[in-house]
Amino acid sequence: MTVKAVATTVAALLVLVWGGACSPPAGGPGGAAGLGGSSSTGAAGSGAPAGSTGSAGAAGGAGESGNGVDAGADSGSVPNPGACSKAPAPAAGATVIDVRAPSTLAGALATAKAGDRIVLHAGSYANETVSNRKFGTPVFVEAAAGDTVAMAGARFTSCDHLSFSGIQFSATVMLDGSANFTFHGVTLDGGASEEAALQIHGQGGAGASHDVLVEDSTIRGGGRTIFVLGKFAPSDAWNHHLSFVRDDITCGSHNCFQISGGRDMVIDGNRINGTTTAGVLTAGATRVAITRNRMKGMPGKSPCAAQIASPGMEWDNYAGVENMTSTAIVIANNIIDGWGSAVQLDAARDVAIVHNTVADGTGVRFNHRTPHDQMGNVILNGNSDIRIWNDILPSISLATGEMKPAFESNNVIWNGGGGGPGDVASMPIFAGATADYALAPGSPGIDTALINAETPLVDFENRPRGAMPDVGARELAAPAGACP
């Protein structure tokens, strides 16, 4: 996988730690609700190395039939970021099935046909369990125009091709072995519960969930606000092709995202609002793009924006834990402030950190861990193949036993920890407070970025960077992007 491959496809997608600054999720090392466990679903999910430094990923296959989320990148490449993604829309003249509480969504789906619109009218709807509803093209489930529709959660098992819009969910929505789902303009609210607002589940007999798009939505509360939970097995058994685009996400009591058995994922263009927990935690994830997000923490309370970790028996002592490595992660074009650390590495491999703007805290923190499997064999010895370039960072922190980044270049690092070729040890010089960390004229980051095979070609706002790009997430005076 390469970062450049991620960046160059943005405009093409038109159809759609414990230690250091972070602490472990509730349940702690080896607990049933540690990294991979869930209090409602039991023990969990695996990682396969993907690509070497600077190598292009292998061409993907055709992918599953889908709703435009699947970019056909099943092997060696991350799916397209979601700057231009769009949920499917019903055809003109589609059959309408009107539903009013206490009637149920399950009842309407029992009579629906592919392409139909199920229109829910104002009211409160019960928590529902829906199984084995599969359609060749989407069935659209939407709130009636101007109506407030509240649903107390839902569980979909072995369901396929459902598209939701305008609905407010007030408890967990779970996809269990389900595929080709879209959520557009919905609210997913886990409230004060320890359960997730959205759980994408793949541990049961129904298999992995895949091809899911959540866009332009509000997601908040719960424990692990978005919980991707898969088998503790090689990554081909994981949940996959999952996209979160332009959402407003507020972290729950454990984190905003926990990915324990997820691959080929995009977290792009979101506002991620930190509380007292990590933002994005990977613990068994591969080919994940964390790009163009505005990650805003609470100073003194939010530990780390992204925690890239591999658990081992020390944290999740389940059979197959050796598969739960975090590899092939891209963290690019994010603007991050208010967190103790922007990126914390807790035994990871093949991580590209490029063109981010980190305003405070620690930029990148390397913690030294050697997770073991149940037989006592070392899974990973610390962090390896970590590449850091074209970033604005306060510092890079290396724990005892950690090697320097495999590649470090052309960063602006003003508070110690740099030393790669082209690094500049001076203040970045930002524009005024309303510019949200855009560079000011005279900044040492202007026109000083490195272009290599992995360098993204667009910035935080999806604007082309040009032949002499700036360091950091925002390109000064760039032309408007084709798809903002």
Side-chain angles (χ1 to χ4, degrees), residues 223-271:
R224 301 155 178 86
T225 301
I226 300 163
F227 193 10
V228 180
L229 182 61
K231 290 183 180 296
F232 276 41
S235 62
D236 58 0
W238 290 356
N239 305 296
H240 58 92
H241 293 91
L242 313 175
S243 297
F244 298 86
V245 180
R246 301 184 306 271
D247 299 311
D248 192 282
I249 304 167
T250 300
C251 300
S253 59
H254 296 310
N255 42 58
C256 271
F257 282 86
Q258 180 166 324
I259 306 167
S260 296
R263 63 173 173 87
D264 301 295
M265 290 183 59
V266 166
I267 301 169
D268 181 77
N270 305 285
R271 183 175 181 87

